[in-house]
Each structure stands twice: as structure tokens, then as C-alpha cells.
Amino acid sequence: MNLQGIVAVSGKPGLWKALAQNKTGYVLESLDYKKAKLVANLSTAKLAALSEITVFGLENDIKLTDIFENMKSASVPATKEDEKKLREFFYEVAPDHDEEKVYSSDIKKIISWFLILKDMPLFEEADPAAAPATEEAPATEEAATAEPVAAQATEEAPKAKTKKAAAKKA
């Protein structure tokens, strides 16, 4: 499953695809039917790349991609089901999750993300990060956003602060 370039934006519903990067942040497009565009400023918006998200486990954290793989073969309930049914379902797809740290709101969010992604072609694609690298990789728009967005965001934010600090010293 190829979730590279797919992000969740804090305070915004749904999922977003990173289209381009500018000086202050990212140009995002919603994955719903509206295809709304959004410029997410790195200083104010929090972006979480789905390929990097993990869920608290009893021993080790569980990757969201692993949970999605388990959900493919399960009967996924609606997010409006009661908390007990959602928790039972989540035990099927992530049996060793930490019940005290994984809230019902987290389970609802994961189910809603799965329902958004399950019919998309990228959901069935192989993950480029998991595949062995080849010398001649085709240059595509998705290849430009293949690096996890959250990792890029953390790398660029300190650079902006450094420039401001240097300007104040001068």
C-alpha cells in the first residue's frame, strides 16, 4: 500500500495529498470528491504523514499500514457504531494495541481514513519505500512527494527559525 504523500492535517477533516511544496509549507488537495486545495503553513499547521503514523501497542508500536492491511480482509463497521463494537473490531485488526492509550476517537479516525482510502488505486499499489531501489526510477509527480511529508516538515522548520535568529542578531 502506497501512502506516501498522504497526510492528515490537524484541525481539518479527511485526508489530503501533498501536491507541491513552497517556501512556507505545502499545497494540499483533499481526497474527497470536492478536491479542495489548501496551503498548509508549516508554522501553524500540523501535518502527519500516514506512512509514518503508529498506534500504541503493548510491546511495540503498530504501523498504521499494518492495521490497514488487516482491515482489508475484515468487515469494517461504520464509525457511528457504539464504542464497544468498534473496540472489538480493533482487537481483530490490531490485537496487541494498548487499550489505555488508544482511544475510541482514534479508532473512529482510523476507520474513517480506511473508508476514504480503500477504493483508491494507491491503496493497492506497492509501497515504494518497501520496494528495493532501482537505478532508473521513473520521474512522476508522486515520486516528487515520495519523501514523508512529516519528515520534510521537521527538517525545514528549524531552518526558518535560524534565518530569523540570524536576522535579529544583525
Side-chain angles (χ1 to χ4, degrees):
M1 145 182 357
N2 179 11
L3 297 180
Q4 299 294 332
I6 306 298
V7 297
V9 180
S10 178
K12 300 283 183 187
L15 294 174
W16 302 79
K17 180 176 183 175
L19 297 178
Q21 180 179 1
N22 62 20
K23 291 179 184 178
T24 60
Y26 292 92
V27 178
L28 306 173
E29 180 181 61
S30 67
L31 292 181
D32 61 6
Y33 67 94
K34 295 178 187 176
K35 299 293 181 192
K37 299 240 186 329
L38 166 74
V39 177
N41 189 336
L42 292 177
S43 63
T44 58
K46 291 184 180 180
L47 305 177
L50 261 60
S51 59
E52 301 293 318
I53 292 178
T54 59
V55 174
F56 291 111
L58 295 173
E59 293 181 22
N60 295 322
D61 289 347
I62 308 163
K63 290 185 177 184
L64 183 63
T65 54
D66 295 339
I67 294 171
F68 282 166
E69 286 294 334
N70 294 340
M71 290 174 78
K72 283 182 182 180
S73 60
S75 175
V76 180
T79 55
K80 299 203 183 240
E81 293 285 339
D82 68 345
E83 183 179 332
K84 188 176 180 181
K85 286 183 181 180
L86 293 176
R87 183 68 66 179
E88 288 173 5
F89 166 74
F90 208 67
Y91 269 115
E92 289 177 28
V93 295
D96 59 338
H97 75 275
D98 189 342
E99 187 175 350
E100 293 178 8
K101 294 181 182 177
V102 179
Y103 301 112
S104 59
S105 60
D106 299 328
I107 295 171
K108 287 180 182 180
K109 189 180 298 185
I110 290 171
I111 291 173
S112 68
W113 289 347
F114 177 80
L115 295 174
I116 291 170
L117 294 170
K118 71 176 181 159
D119 296 326
M120 301 186 120
L122 61 90
F123 199 66
E124 299 300 324
E125 291 178 9
D127 184 5
T134 59
E135 288 184 29
E136 296 181 33
T140 63
E141 180 180 86
E142 289 185 17
T145 60
E147 187 174 330
V149 176
Q152 290 176 358
T154 56
E155 290 174 8
E156 292 179 14
K159 292 178 186 175
K161 290 179 183 176
T162 307
K163 289 178 184 177
K164 289 178 184 176
K168 288 181 181 179
K169 290 180 181 177

